[in-house]
Amino acid sequence: MEISIDGAVFSLSSYCTAFGASESKREQFQRYLEKAGVLDSLTSVLVALYEETEKPNNALDFLKQHLGVAGQESADTEALQQDLRDMRQRCELLAEENKDLKNRLQRYEPTKEDGAAE
């Protein structure tokens, strides 16, 4: 498997050969990476890095950040985001209710500042 970005070629075969993997092991590993979507993810992140107009100081951090972001959009993350939205809405409703109750209480029990005598 080769990844090519404007003439620069990144080859899985040369990587595996450098570590002494046999041809069949290389092919199995390549199929494994393809099936898991690893090669597509790496390709898209490398393309994003290539297309950056201002290259980051640390390319590895860029890769980690963009791979992490892609992996975080899971059902758990979406559920947590929905919970956060729900909790914020509930907080707003409770704050409004609190304000309302304080106003009602003020009508029945004015404070000393309001001129009430004990």
Side-chain angles (χ1 to χ4, degrees), residues 45 65 68 71 73 76 80 83 102 118:
V45 172
Q65 179 184 6
E73 291 302 322
D76 289 340
L80 289 172
D83 285 348
K102 282 182 179 180
E118 280 191 48

Side-chain angles (χ1 to χ4, degrees), residues 44-110:
S44 65
V45 172
L46 288 172
V47 168
L49 177 59
Y50 176 78
E51 291 174 348
E52 281 289 312
T53 53
E54 292 184 28
K55 301 294 185 234
N57 292 332
N58 190 330
L60 186 56
D61 284 345
F62 179 91
L63 295 175
K64 286 178 184 178
Q65 179 184 6
H66 283 76
L67 284 172
V69 170
Q72 287 180 354
E73 291 302 322
S74 65
D76 289 340
T77 302
E78 185 58 38
L80 289 172
Q81 288 173 344
Q82 183 60 48
D83 285 348
L84 179 59
R85 287 189 291 270
D86 293 345
M87 293 298 158
R88 283 182 175 159
Q89 184 177 12
R90 179 161 168 71
C91 184
E92 288 175 20
L93 291 172
L94 290 172
E96 188 64 34
E97 181 182 1
N98 187 18
K99 182 180 173 184
D100 222 19
L101 290 171
K102 282 182 179 180
N103 288 337
R104 287 174 52 195
L105 180 62
Q106 193 68 297
R107 280 187 262 156
Y108 297 108
E109 296 180 11

